[in-house]
Amino acid sequence: MNFIFLGPPGAGKGSLAVKVAEDYKIPHISTGDIFRAAIKNQTELGKKVKGIIDAGGLVSDDITCALVKERLEQDDVKNGFILDGFPRTIPQAEAFTGICKDVTVVNFVIKDEIVIKRLSTRRVCRKCGENYNVLTMPPKKEGICDKCGGELYQRDDDKQEAILHRMDVYREQTEPLIDFYRKRGELSDIDGATQTDELLRDFKKKFPNK
Ligand code: ADP
Ligand code: ZN
């Protein structure tokens, strides 16, 4: 099955996507992760997008669509995939309809207050990318990744000013996709405030793995 995870930043898309990918044995494709890897490795792409991403803006549709198109040409997506963080604009959604015809869009519904709180308390492992939360999912040892011992840090775009900007960008550019997909009959809502493990159970009931 092909999934798009749609929702505001901090809705829990990435956390659920990791679990679903494991369970359904399909790849988790996060455009944000791809961009962050490019920044870390200081590739041409990374240099181009660093400033935009740190400030909480959106990378151009051209760059993003080309990247996703290329990724979806790889063999491992044959049995399905989860797109997390793409599409984020109407032009991206339109481009995607030309790439893939069969998709289920999972819309994460969640209140702004919860999102702001979650993002400002999120920490990420510099080495392996694992996510933590200082309030709700702290690591065993402060500042250190349970999985790999890497250093935890706060993403620049998880600082207060960038969070508010990302939410504005979401409202203006991404939220219209809800109507776009609802009209196409491809949208299904889930509750982003639910804890990931419980959410996975709901998800599996709603979208049984075929
Ligand atoms: P979030 O936690 O906000 O969901 P992501 O990890 O998905 O963040 O993305 C981080 C940043 O990467 C975004 O704020 C944006 O700058 C860039 N980005 C990711 N996906 C896209 C996309 N589809 N179009 C444009 N920019 C993107
Ligand atoms: Zn780690």
Side-chain angles (χ1 to χ4, degrees), residues 125 128 145 148:
C125 173
C128 75
C145 177
C148 77

Side-chain angles (χ1 to χ4, degrees), residues 15 19 25 34 36 49 57 72-73 99 102 107 114 138 159 161 177 185 200:
S15 304
K19 304 262 178 189
K25 303 197 168 40
I34 297 174
R36 275 186 293 278
V49 302
L72 293 179
E73 279 162 7
I99 303 175
D102 165 34
N107 179 39
I114 304 181
K159 301 198 169 137
E161 209 183 13
L177 298 188
L200 178 66

Side-chain angles (χ1 to χ4, degrees), residues 71-198:
R71 180 64 187 84
L72 293 179
E73 279 162 7
Q74 292 179 25
D75 272 349
D76 64 342
V77 304
K78 275 198 312 280
N79 298 322
F81 56 80
I82 306 161
L83 266 178
D84 161 18
F86 179 93
R88 249 181 167 87
T89 66
I90 292 284
Q92 288 179 16
E94 283 167 346
F96 182 76
T97 60
I99 303 175
C100 172
K101 295 273 173 277
D102 165 34
V103 74
T104 302
V105 181
V106 182
N107 179 39
F108 288 63
V109 180
I110 187 161
K111 285 199 189 104
D112 284 4
E113 303 93 83
I114 304 181
V115 156
I116 293 174
K117 189 150 184 204
R118 269 193 193 168
L119 292 174
S120 55
T121 51
R122 169 160 74 181
R123 298 293 181 274
V124 185
C125 173
R126 223 182 258 292
K127 233 165 143 185
C128 75
E130 182 76 5
N131 278 251
Y132 294 88
N133 186 289
V134 292
L135 297 180
T136 57
M137 289 187 297
K140 293 203 182 78
K141 206 170 152 210
E142 198 189 319
I144 305 287
C145 177
D146 291 345
K147 286 207 163 150
C148 77
E151 178 205 1
L152 304 187
Y153 77 109
Q154 180 173 43
R155 281 166 43 176
D156 276 327
D157 62 347
D158 280 346
K159 301 198 169 137
Q160 191 69 19
E161 209 183 13
I163 291 175
L164 296 178
H165 182 53
R166 278 156 75 203
M167 295 187 57
D168 285 343
V169 169
Y170 169 78
R171 197 124 299 132
E172 275 164 32
Q173 309 225 45
T174 310
E175 206 168 50
L177 298 188
I178 295 176
D179 266 348
F180 178 95
Y181 284 116
R182 213 185 287 285
K183 279 190 195 124
R184 295 169 61 94
E186 295 170 335
L187 196 87
S188 191
D189 288 337
I190 63 168
D191 177 14
T194 306
Q195 282 292 324
T196 310
D197 290 333
E198 196 184 332

Side-chain angles (χ1 to χ4, degrees), residues 26-43:
I26 52 178
H28 167 208
I29 303 171
S30 156
T31 42
D33 284 348
I34 297 174
F35 288 136
R36 275 186 293 278
I39 293 171
K40 191 173 155 197
N41 297 324
Q42 301 186 354
T43 64

